[in-house]
Amino acid sequence: MTTTQGRELDRQGDPVQRRTVATLSMSQVLGGISLASGVAVGALLAEEISGSPTYAGLGSTFQVLGSALIAVPMARLSAARGRRHGLVLGYCLAFVGALGLITSGIVGSFALLLVASLLFGGSTASNNQARYAAADLAAPAHRGRDLSLVVWATTIGSVVGPNLVGPSEPVSELLGLPRLTGPFVFSLVGLAFAVLVLVIRLRPDPLLEARRRAVAADPGASGRTHGRIGRGLRVVVAQPQALLGLLTLALGHMVMVSVMVMTPLHMRHGDADLTVIGFVISVHILGMFAFSPLTGLAVDRLGGRVVAITGSAILAAATLLASTAPEGHSTGLLVALFLLGLGWSCTLVSGSTMLTAALPTAERPGAQGASDLVMGLTAGLGGALAGVVVDVASFNVLALAALVVALSIGVLAAVLRGSGELSGR
């Protein structure tokens, strides 16, 4: 593609990119339903099977770890065969995981629940990688916007998902399943349709098309993309803007996961019922995704560093408010969970855009897979420690610990600079 053709596509809008964003948005809606249907009951199911609140956060923790580990083969597969194959792999593994979670509730096996949670993390891995697929063909001036539009699409499925907790009870009774496994039936349906949408509509593959265009613009380029995680991590560390993007992603995700996974337990210990818990989680997820287009526009106009600092401040406010919330349902906790989601949205979109903008097309799959691996491992550690902190101390102490991590994002964004301004453009 010539420079003139590239400018014309930027001016008129790339029809391939429009189709890509629309297709990824459809899959995100379905993937959001599949993932969020189980989020509200994950800790409750783990506590019920294990018999101890100490292990309540392990199910969600293993799910986060699963998303991190599955990002590794997804990156390799995406580099070799395109985004479509990588995304489908994640959703297929999550489908098997949902079946395993239902089975774990039936037989009462905590070990099976942990293994199934690892596989179920494939849904998160695919949802995460979809934002990068949206950026493959995006014009630099609109990269934050296109990436955030796909993140926003998750709003529909993710808000609907937790509110299916109540309706899932008669479904579980009809199928003869334990009450807390009912939401995973909806997960199975959402995952199956997400795979179908990607297989049929994600053509041409955005990463392969971006590689083809790069070779057309520079015939001397090899056209090869790299999917090795080790190489990707080295590339990220060598680029200050990419490194800031990775740290923003990892620490923001850690704050969100550690507080969010223990919120249902904190509420249940105060006698809140499943419907109320589902509503609070849905408001949290609304904060995570609903305003992401505005976040993307802010990144395009103000730069990723500014939005990362803003996200740090919002996460700090959320965790400080959560630290004062009593057990059960309260207005303060509801507001805190909404802000927790909004702050996470700022760190996700700004971090992802900074990371992608700093890298050439050939290095993106491996570097993006490495960032999701680090993000998942960091959040997994936070989720694992969250259950221990709540058991030994309290939910309020956990929120204060998360406050410290939230503030560190702003410090890093203010201090870590390359030779030029760190922006998302």
Side-chain angles (χ1 to χ4, degrees), residues 231-411:
R231 174 179 175 134
L233 189 58
R234 290 192 297 271
V235 169
V236 169
V237 172
Q239 295 281 349
Q241 180 176 335
L243 179 58
L244 177 57
L246 183 148
L247 293 173
T248 300
L249 285 167
L251 296 177
H253 201 48
M254 183 182 191
V255 172
M256 188 275 289
V257 169
S258 61
V259 176
M260 183 272 291
V261 298
M262 298 310 296
T263 296
L265 195 64
H266 182 65
M267 296 181 66
R268 192 59 181 262
H269 288 172
D271 297 324
D273 61 32
L274 288 179
T275 301
V276 174
I277 293 173
F279 174 72
V280 171
I281 295 299
S282 69
V283 169
H284 164 65
I285 295 174
L286 181 71
M288 289 174 67
F289 301 114
F291 301 95
S292 56
L294 297 179
T295 305
L297 289 174
V299 169
D300 288 336
R301 294 183 180 182
L302 303 176
R305 188 173 64 88
V306 172
V307 178
I309 293 173
T310 302
S312 172
I314 296 174
L315 287 174
T319 50
L320 184 61
L321 187 56
S323 70
T324 66
E327 290 185 341
H329 175 256
S330 65
T331 302
L333 185 62
L334 181 67
V335 174
L337 265 290
F338 173 77
L339 292 177
L340 187 70
L342 182 61
W344 175 86
S345 177
C346 290
T347 59
L348 179 80
V349 175
S350 63
S352 300
T353 308
M354 286 190 289
L355 179 76
T356 301
L359 303 171
T361 300
E363 300 292 352
R364 286 178 186 173
Q368 291 163 345
S371 72
D372 279 357
L373 174 63
V374 173
M375 182 174 73
L377 291 176
T378 305
L381 175 63
L385 293 176
V388 177
V389 172
V390 170
D391 188 43
V392 173
S394 67
F395 176 82
N396 308 94
V397 171
L398 170 66
L400 288 174
L403 169 63
V404 176
V405 180
L407 291 173
S408 70
I409 300 171
V411 173

Side-chain angles (χ1 to χ4, degrees), residues 28 131 147-155 288-289 292 348-349:
Q28 287 291 86
R131 73 190 192 277
L147 185 151
S148 65
L149 283 175
V150 171
V151 174
W152 173 84
T154 314
T155 308
M288 289 174 67
F289 301 114
S292 56
L348 179 80
V349 175

